[in-house]
């Protein structure tokens, strides 16, 4: 699909601003940056041009107001709505814009978890045929994966990577499991350090390329995080990992304390000293205050670093598997649960194992599930480790969540990954 002109509604928001940059730089499109208040749109355009993240022609970014809908929509090949992650607000926006959208124009909503069928309810049938979710990942200039989610009436005339309209779709459904688990574990182990302690067990040495799950939570922000995980928790009573999507109390406390700006109340912060030096801070759950981040030493991690540097990736992973320390066992258990959950939800949402690999490698930049299985010796080794290390109840819950699919049947169908695990395993936290 050639995009000559795109309208981005709500373009003054940080995510929508960057998505405007994607459309303008990568698609070469003229982009109408539509904002309720044009002065905010002009500031967003200036910030986008100054960011250095895109090669942009300033003339391709045109700031407009809501009064320009009819003119802009008539010219647009695609209309991208990117307002607040709220069902009622998005439905109301759909009603507002529907009279001005020519039939056949593609209309997309930028949502990370909301039901596309529910959002489509306020659209006429003629527009539902070309309405879908288009889920970019933050930051969109670095994360090249995109999920496209149709509603029940979408008529897809082009070949696309499609996932079903399940809560949080697929990538966020998978990725937010280890994120929330780590937030929970930080509370459980708050006397050991909490957030930075858990971060030290889950970083890039475990294939988390863009950063650990707790750093990802920090980057996404509490507002979006809670919108996603609360939606999963409330909408999926039979999910076999449902309780792992429950946000810990301190996370809600931080959100309530800093409602004005989502960057406030962050899990991690950087302070600049009078001399220009940077001090990395972390929220200490036990003390309910910020302190300097600590450096944690784990013997198994140091050994894995050495082996990675020697190109011995399989031996490095075997070092983790063989280590009987509580830290190593916790690290491996988190990874096994991530992979198991990814496989089950990939089958549910896309009908293939490979969809999870494609999305997690390009959106979160985490080691793809099938690639991790290859690294530890294949599906038989994965099956053995899961049965040895995971709570036995997880397999019964899994079968209830995915009727007709036992753990052994799931494992039997696992293919080799097309991704090289060496690209994701780094000798750094």
């Amino acid at each position: 699909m050639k995009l000559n002109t795109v309208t981005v509604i709500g373009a003054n928001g940080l995510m929508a601003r960057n998505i405007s940059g994607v459309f303008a730089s990568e698609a070469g499109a003229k982009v109408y940056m539509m904002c309720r208040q044009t002065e905010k749109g002009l500031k967003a355009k200036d910030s986008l041009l100054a960011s250095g993240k895109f090669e942009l022609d300033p003339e391709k970014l045109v700031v407009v107001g809501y009064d320009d809908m009819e003119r802009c929509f008539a010219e647009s090949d695609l209309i991208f709505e990117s307002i607040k992650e709220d069902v009622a607000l998005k439905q109301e926006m759909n009603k507002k814009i529907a009279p001005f959208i020519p039939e056949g124009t593609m209309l997309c909503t930028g949502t990370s978890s909301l039901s596309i069928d529910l959002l489509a309810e306020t659209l006429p049938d003629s527009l539902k045929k070309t309405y879908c979710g288009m889920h970019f990942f933050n930051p969109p200039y670095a994360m090249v994966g995109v999920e496209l989610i149709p509603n029940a009436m979408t008529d897809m005339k082009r070949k696309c990577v499609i996932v079903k309209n399940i809560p949080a779709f697929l990538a966020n459904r998978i990725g937010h499991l280890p994120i929330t688990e780590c937030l929970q574990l930080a509370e459980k182990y708050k006397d050991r350090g909490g957030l930075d302690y858990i971060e030290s067990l889950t970083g890039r040495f475990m294939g988390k390329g863009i950063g650990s799950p707790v750093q990802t939570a920090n980057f996404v922000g509490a507002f979006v995080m809670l919108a996603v995980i609360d939606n999963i928790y409330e909408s999926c009573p039979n999910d076999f990992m449902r309780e792992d999507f429950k946000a810990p109390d301190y996370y809600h406390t931080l959100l309530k304390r800093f409602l004005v700006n989502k960057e406030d109340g962050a899990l991690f912060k950087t302070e600049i000293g009078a001399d220009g030096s940077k001090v990395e801070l972390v929220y200490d759950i036990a003390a309910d205050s910020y302190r300097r981040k600590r450096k944690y030493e784990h013997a198994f991690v140091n050994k894995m670093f050495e082996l990675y540097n020697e190109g011995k990736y399989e031996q490095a992973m075997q070092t983790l598997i063989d280590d009987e320390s509580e830290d190593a066992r916790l690290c491996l258990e988190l990874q096994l649960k991530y992979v198991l959950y990814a496989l089950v939800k990939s089958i549910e949402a896309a009908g293939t194992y490979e969809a999870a690999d494609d999305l997690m490698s390009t959106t979160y930049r985490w080691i793809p599930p099938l690639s991790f299985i290859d690294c530890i010796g294949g599906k038989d080794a994965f099956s053995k480790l899961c049965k040895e290390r995971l709570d036995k109840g997880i397999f019964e819950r899994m079968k209830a969540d995915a009727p007709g699919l036992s753990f052994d049947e799931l494992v039997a169908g696992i293919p080799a990954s097309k991704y090289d695990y060496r690209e994701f395993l780094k000798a750094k936290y």
Side-chain angles (χ1 to χ4, degrees):
M1 179 181 184
K2 172 63 176 172
L3 297 177
N4 295 307
T5 305
V6 176
T7 297
V8 177
I9 303 171
N12 55 291
L14 176 59
M15 189 69 172
R17 181 178 80 203
N18 283 323
I19 290 170
S20 297
V22 170
F23 285 130
S25 63
E26 296 181 15
K30 175 182 177 180
V31 178
Y32 286 121
M33 298 178 68
M34 184 170 286
C35 309
R36 188 182 301 277
Q37 298 174 308
T38 53
E39 60 269 25
K40 289 186 176 181
L42 292 169
K43 288 181 180 179
K45 177 180 175 178
D46 289 342
S47 296
L48 184 59
L49 293 171
S51 70
K53 302 298 183 183
F54 307 93
E55 292 185 11
L56 294 167
D57 176 353
E59 303 222 346
K60 284 188 174 290
L61 299 171
V62 182
V63 176
V64 295
Y66 284 3
D67 290 342
D68 298 301
M69 284 183 183
E70 185 170 10
R71 173 178 64 85
C72 295
F73 293 175
E75 187 183 338
S76 296
D77 305 297
L78 184 149
I79 298 164
F80 185 84
E81 168 269 302
S82 187
I83 65 172
K84 186 178 179 181
E85 186 86 340
D86 181 277
V87 170
L89 290 177
K90 285 179 178 286
Q91 286 184 325
E92 189 61 33
M93 179 58 73
N94 279 348
K95 287 195 288 187
K96 183 181 183 70
I97 65 179
F100 307 109
I101 300 176
E103 189 171 339
T105 300
M106 190 169 185
L107 171 62
C108 297
T109 179
T111 175
S112 57
S113 65
L114 301 178
S115 168
I116 307 304
D117 286 332
L118 187 60
L119 297 179
E121 286 181 357
T122 53
L123 290 171
D125 287 351
S126 60
L127 292 182
K128 288 178 183 177
K129 293 177 181 179
T130 51
Y131 181 68
C132 62
M134 186 179 282
H135 179 205
F136 287 86
F137 292 79
N138 200 6
Y141 49 79
M143 305 302 197
V144 298
V146 178
E147 287 179 313
L148 196 65
I149 310 96
N151 74 84
M153 291 183 63
T154 306
D155 181 12
M156 304 299 294
K157 293 182 172 66
R158 292 172 173 81
K159 181 175 175 58
C160 301
V161 177
I162 300 173
V163 297
K164 291 180 182 176
N165 188 22
I166 66 171
F169 317 130
L170 183 54
N172 269 359
R173 186 67 171 269
I174 296 169
H176 279 66
L177 175 74
I179 290 174
T180 318
E181 280 187 298
C182 285
L183 294 177
Q184 292 177 350
L185 287 168
E187 186 167 53
K188 180 178 179 179
Y189 294 107
K190 61 186 177 184
D191 294 332
R192 297 188 190 180
L195 289 163
D196 51 356
Y197 163 67
I198 294 299
E199 181 191 24
S200 72
L201 299 174
T202 56
R204 282 176 281 184
F205 76 97
M206 283 305 296
K208 305 298 191 290
I210 205 70
S212 68
V214 286
Q215 281 288 3
T216 304
N218 188 65
F219 187 82
V220 170
F223 288 92
V224 175
M225 270 291 302
L226 285 172
V228 174
I229 61 178
D230 286 351
N231 182 30
I232 296 171
Y233 189 81
E234 296 300 327
S235 304
C236 307
N238 296 320
D239 189 288
F240 73 106
M241 298 297 292
R242 182 178 187 240
E243 292 307 311
D244 291 281
F245 284 104
K246 193 170 185 179
D249 291 340
Y250 73 87
Y251 204 62
H252 286 282
T253 300
L254 280 176
L255 180 62
K256 290 176 183 176
R257 190 178 298 167
F258 301 101
L259 281 174
V260 176
N261 186 335
K262 71 178 181 181
E263 292 179 358
D264 289 334
L267 304 175
F268 299 91
K269 292 184 176 182
T270 301
E271 284 190 349
I272 308 297
D275 60 353
S277 61
K278 294 182 179 180
V279 178
E280 299 295 327
L281 304 178
V282 61
Y283 176 71
D284 190 302
I285 301 167
D288 189 25
S289 61
Y290 289 88
R291 58 165 171 78
R292 284 177 177 262
K293 280 186 68 176
R294 296 171 185 155
K295 172 70 173 176
Y296 295 84
E297 289 290 334
H298 306 290
F300 76 94
V301 176
N302 292 335
K303 183 62 177 176
M304 290 176 75
F305 284 172
E306 292 176 16
L307 292 167
Y308 285 155
N309 285 325
E310 295 172 11
K312 299 175 180 177
Y313 294 87
E314 299 88 350
Q315 286 180 243
M317 204 55 67
Q318 195 61 48
T319 296
L320 168 63
I321 293 168
D322 292 341
D323 195 297
E324 291 297 323
S325 68
E326 184 180 1
D327 289 342
R329 293 184 69 85
L330 179 59
C331 175
L332 180 58
E333 180 182 321
L334 279 166
Q335 190 73 1
L336 292 172
K337 288 166 78 175
Y338 153 67
V339 172
L340 174 60
Y341 191 74
L343 298 180
V344 174
K345 294 304 159 184
S346 190
I347 294 295
E348 177 185 342
T352 71
Y353 295 90
E354 291 87 352
D357 265 31
D358 291 336
L359 284 170
M360 298 315 292
S361 64
T362 59
T363 58
Y364 282 71
R365 289 192 182 175
W366 288 358
I367 187 170
L370 297 175
S371 184
F372 175 78
I373 292 173
D374 289 345
C375 186
I376 62 173
K379 60 186 179 183
D380 290 340
F382 172 69
S383 176
K384 181 175 182 290
L385 281 171
C386 285
K387 290 177 178 178
E388 289 176 353
R389 303 297 183 93
L390 300 183
D391 177 76
K392 300 299 182 288
I394 198 171
F395 305 115
E396 289 303 314
R397 297 197 306 272
M398 187 205 98
K399 193 170 183 180
D401 185 8
L405 182 65
S406 69
F407 176 71
D408 289 337
E409 289 168 333
L410 177 79
V411 170
I414 291 175
S417 178
K418 65 183 179 184
Y419 295 95
D420 187 339
Y421 48 76
R422 294 173 297 181
E423 297 177 11
F424 300 92
L425 299 171
K426 307 295 182 183
K428 58 179 72 173
Y429 281 99

